[in-house]
């Protein structure tokens, strides 16, 4: 049996402390914080999203899952505690529990009929949650496939407060809603989009074409480099089709 568990992913559960009419709405809490419209987060329809700085730079990226009235955040294991701590700062006096979920685990497979498709790009395969914490890791296979499609994620690649969210290709990979209203970093993100001022982008290039001055992280075993380059410097690369479409889109 092919292993599917992503050990390098963890889950944070947001749930109301009270029940009934007085219960807090976890979706409403997140709606003013994250880049994705919480109305689009439905059972078996996860959404890729992020928490940004006030300037619109990525602090954490993650997937949002609906579980009844609870919301689950599928994030990097290495950053889970820091993300939970940041969310608790925003919580203030709201009666919402923000805790690690030790029961469920994140799974991925390229072909898994009936499981949710990755919301960023159909070619990325399928992603789902299961009970239990056992099983070998599928992280290496997932990473290799993801990078082969030019898709970046996580703080090693996106950085922490280093890269504007639209420079992470968030618009092309369905990681932002431009119709949901205000959230942290929304003003600069919306301005960049409507003025079409995405001057730099994260790209995945062969190590043989690497530019160390622009490099975020290298993967020698895969022969790849993740870099933050000016748009003028990537048009001559062998970009994935989804990125080519963005680069070739006519300016308004």
């Amino acid at each position: 049996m092919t292993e599917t568990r992503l050990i390098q992913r963890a889950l944070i559960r947001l749930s109301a402390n009270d029940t009934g009419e007085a219960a807090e709405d976890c979706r409403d809490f997140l709606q003013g914080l994250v880049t994705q419209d919480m109305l689009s987060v439905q059972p078996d329809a996860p959404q890729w999203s992020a928490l940004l700085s006030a300037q619109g730079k990525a602090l954490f990226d993650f997937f949002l899952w609906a579980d009844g009235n609870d919301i689950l955040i599928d994030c990097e294991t290495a950053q889970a505690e820091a993300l939970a701590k940041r969310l608790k700062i925003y919580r203030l006096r709201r009666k919402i529990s923000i805790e690690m979920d030790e029961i469920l685990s994140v799974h991925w497979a390229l072909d898994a009929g009936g499981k949710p498709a990755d919301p960023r790009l159909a070619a990325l395969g399928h992603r789902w949650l299961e009970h239990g914490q056992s099983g070998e890791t599928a992280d290496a296979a997932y990473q290799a496939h993801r990078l082969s499609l030019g898709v970046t994620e996580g703080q090693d690649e996106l950085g922490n407060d280093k890269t504007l969210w639209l420079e992470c290709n968030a618009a092309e990979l369905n990681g932002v809603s431009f119709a949901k209203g205000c959230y942290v970093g929304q003003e600069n993100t919306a301005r960049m989009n409507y003025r079409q001022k995405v001057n730099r982008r994260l790209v995945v290039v062969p190590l043989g074409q690497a530019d160390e001055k622009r490099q975020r992280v290298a993967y020698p075993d895969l022969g790849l480099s993740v870099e933050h380059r000016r748009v003028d410097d990537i048009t001559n690369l062998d970009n994935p089709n989804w990125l080519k479409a963005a680069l070739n889109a006519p300016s308004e």
Side-chain angles (χ1 to χ4, degrees):
M1 179 179 177
T2 303
E3 298 297 343
T4 60
R5 184 183 171 210
L6 298 180
I7 294 176
Q8 294 178 9
R9 305 296 295 186
L11 290 162
I12 302 171
R13 180 178 291 273
L14 278 68
S15 57
N17 290 340
D18 297 331
T19 58
E21 294 183 1
E24 292 278 5
D25 186 339
C26 296
R27 290 176 184 268
D28 180 67
F29 168 63
L30 289 173
Q31 184 75 334
L33 295 178
V34 304
T35 62
Q36 191 57 259
D37 188 346
M38 293 303 301
L39 295 177
S40 67
V41 181
Q42 299 296 328
D44 294 327
Q47 301 294 333
W48 188 48
S49 188
L51 183 64
L52 309 181
S53 70
Q55 293 72 37
K57 294 183 178 181
L59 300 177
F60 304 92
D61 74 301
F62 41 78
F63 294 85
L64 297 162
W65 296 80
D67 185 16
N69 292 326
D70 293 359
I71 295 294
L72 289 161
I73 299 179
D74 160 3
C75 62
E76 290 182 280
T77 300
Q79 301 300 328
E81 293 292 345
L83 174 55
K85 183 177 180 180
R86 177 61 67 98
L87 291 172
K88 288 176 181 178
I89 293 173
Y90 286 116
R91 178 179 57 184
L92 301 176
R93 296 178 180 272
R94 300 188 72 159
K95 296 181 179 180
I96 293 174
S97 173
I98 303 173
E99 303 295 340
M100 303 304 302
D101 188 301
E102 305 292 350
I103 297 175
L104 295 171
S105 57
V106 181
H107 292 254
W108 168 85
L110 184 56
D111 186 10
K115 302 297 186 183
D118 192 299
R120 296 169 295 182
L121 199 65
L124 281 166
H126 299 263
R127 194 180 195 94
W128 69 97
L129 307 180
E130 283 188 7
H131 284 83
Q133 295 287 333
S134 61
E136 298 298 323
T137 176
D139 290 280
Y142 168 68
Q143 181 188 70
H145 181 65
R146 172 176 63 79
L147 291 170
S148 75
L149 295 173
V151 177
T152 57
E153 68 177 29
Q155 287 201 4
D156 284 349
E157 298 170 13
L158 275 57
N160 179 270
D161 202 11
K162 291 183 178 180
T163 317
L164 293 163
W165 186 228
L166 296 191
E167 295 177 346
C168 302
N169 305 304
E172 292 72 28
L173 297 172
N174 305 310
V176 58
S177 168
F178 295 110
K180 62 167 286 184
C182 294
Y183 57 89
V184 179
Q186 180 266 344
E187 184 176 356
N188 198 32
T189 302
R191 185 184 301 114
M192 286 181 64
N193 177 62
Y194 294 124
R195 294 183 179 179
Q196 297 187 333
K197 292 293 186 180
V198 184
N199 298 321
R200 294 176 175 81
R201 289 183 182 271
L202 286 176
V203 291
V204 182
V205 302
L207 272 178
Q209 299 177 23
D211 180 347
E212 292 186 0
K213 293 181 180 180
R214 303 289 181 258
Q215 190 177 78
R216 286 291 172 77
V217 60
Y219 296 102
D221 292 346
L222 300 175
L224 296 173
S225 174
V226 174
E227 303 183 1
H228 188 218
R229 293 194 183 190
R230 293 190 61 85
V231 169
D232 292 344
D233 296 332
I234 65 176
T235 53
N236 60 341
L237 299 176
D238 185 17
N239 295 304
N241 288 334
W242 62 265
L243 183 53
K244 288 179 182 177
L247 297 175
N248 294 330
S251 300
E252 294 182 358

